[in-house]
Amino acid sequence: GDSVTQMEGPVTLSEEAFLTINCTYTATGYPSLFWYVQYPGEGLQLLLKATKADDKGSNKGFEATYRKETTSFHLEKGSVQVSDSAVYFCALGNTGFQKLVFGTGTRLLVSP
Amino acid sequence: DAGVIQSPRHEVTEMGQEVTLRCKPISGHNSLFWYRQTMMRGLELLIYFNNNVPIDDSGMPEDRFSAKMPNASFSTLKIQPSEPRDSAVYFCASSPGQGPSNQPQHFGDGTRLSIL
């Protein structure tokens, strides 16, 4: 079945450092890929998405490129802020009912 | 726009009591999802509905859990009897419904449930 694998956390960075959170997937067909972010005490929020190979999703300085050849959707940001501290989930959508398969989440901690 | 609304935000109750969690999806969304989140098991899909019909309840942990969607604007998740291991944050999410898989789910703020 479809699955998503994320890098283990926590990822600890200093403010203004470069961020990469790795995500790879296994799926049949042509799934859509998503990154969600969860701030403390809140629900998950959509951060960005890509619906076909080579698409780049971007939002709030974050970006991720749908790489079909490497089945990856890595999240990147050039300069993180303390306010980016949160848990990030990679997810895959591949059915008509919009059921998503989520990764286990990666916690990001940014220090001043 | 009103998002997904869950109630209560927090619930503390004693073991053996019945617990009912409520969710109002975004108007016009036809798919509704219930998730459970714990430190140990992460985010788990419990059940999802499309057009008020349960499509897949394979994630429901046991018979003590039940979910209903009597109409397009309301769903409940019930635990009876509750046990301490049910303590978790329960999320409801909705999405536009059957069709292309590129439509994201919209999450509520969750219900933090503590069973003593």
Side-chain angles (χ1 to χ4, degrees):
Chain A
D2 297 347
S3 66
V4 173
T5 302
Q6 285 183 240
M7 62 189 291
E8 292 279 336
V11 173
T12 304
L13 295 172
S14 298
E15 204 165 26
E16 299 184 2
F18 184 86
L19 168 71
T20 300
I21 299 178
N22 290 338
C23 171
T24 57
Y25 68 90
T26 302
T28 57
Y30 303 94
S32 295
L33 300 173
F34 305 85
W35 276 102
Y36 281 80
V37 59
Q38 184 180 28
Y39 299 103
E42 299 183 11
L44 279 70
Q45 304 173 25
L46 179 68
L47 182 60
L48 52 85
K49 72 176 186 181
T51 58
K52 61 183 186 296
D54 300 326
D55 267 4
K56 177 185 284 188
S58 61
N59 186 25
K60 300 181 181 179
F62 292 89
E63 57 183 35
T65 301
Y66 187 161
R67 302 284 189 200
K68 191 166 178 64
E69 64 276 14
T70 55
T71 61
S72 64
F73 193 55
H74 305 321
L75 182 68
E76 296 181 336
K77 187 176 185 182
S79 176
V80 294
Q81 305 301 311
V82 172
S83 57
D84 293 327
S85 298
V87 180
Y88 293 81
F89 292 88
C90 185
L92 174 160
N94 204 15
T95 70
F97 295 109
Q98 289 146 13
K99 174 182 173 182
L100 295 179
V101 176
F102 283 91
T104 53
T106 301
R107 182 176 298 277
L108 171 65
L109 301 171
V110 181
S111 57
Chain B
D1 289 343
V4 175
I5 299 173
Q6 292 187 246
S7 65
R9 287 298 313 274
H10 303 274
E11 175 88 9
V12 180
T13 192
E14 293 189 347
M15 182 175 65
Q17 297 297 306
E18 178 179 289
V19 173
T20 300
L21 311 181
R22 297 172 176 79
C23 175
K24 177 179 171 56
I26 292 173
S27 178
H29 281 191
N30 295 328
S31 288
L32 183 140
F33 306 81
W34 281 101
Y35 292 89
R36 179 172 67 177
Q37 187 178 40
T38 61
M39 289 294 292
M40 290 297 295
R41 301 173 70 92
L43 191 66
E44 302 173 277
L45 176 65
L46 300 178
I47 185 171
Y48 70 98
F49 296 83
N50 182 258
N51 291 328
N52 312 336
V53 176
I55 302 301
D56 184 354
D57 65 354
S58 60
M60 296 286 263
E62 49 198 274
D63 291 346
R64 297 185 297 106
F65 286 69
S66 61
K68 295 182 180 180
M69 192 165 185
N71 57 61
S73 59
F74 183 66
S75 177
T76 59
L77 178 68
K78 187 173 294 187
I79 309 172
Q80 167 63 16
S82 58
E83 297 183 3
R85 59 193 169 118
D86 302 329
S87 298
V89 181
Y90 290 81
F91 289 103
C92 176
S94 69
S95 69
Q98 188 174 4
S101 61
N102 61 358
Q103 297 299 318
Q105 293 179 15
H106 300 258
F107 282 74
D109 286 336
T111 295
R112 183 173 296 275
L113 177 64
S114 296
I115 308 297
L116 306 178

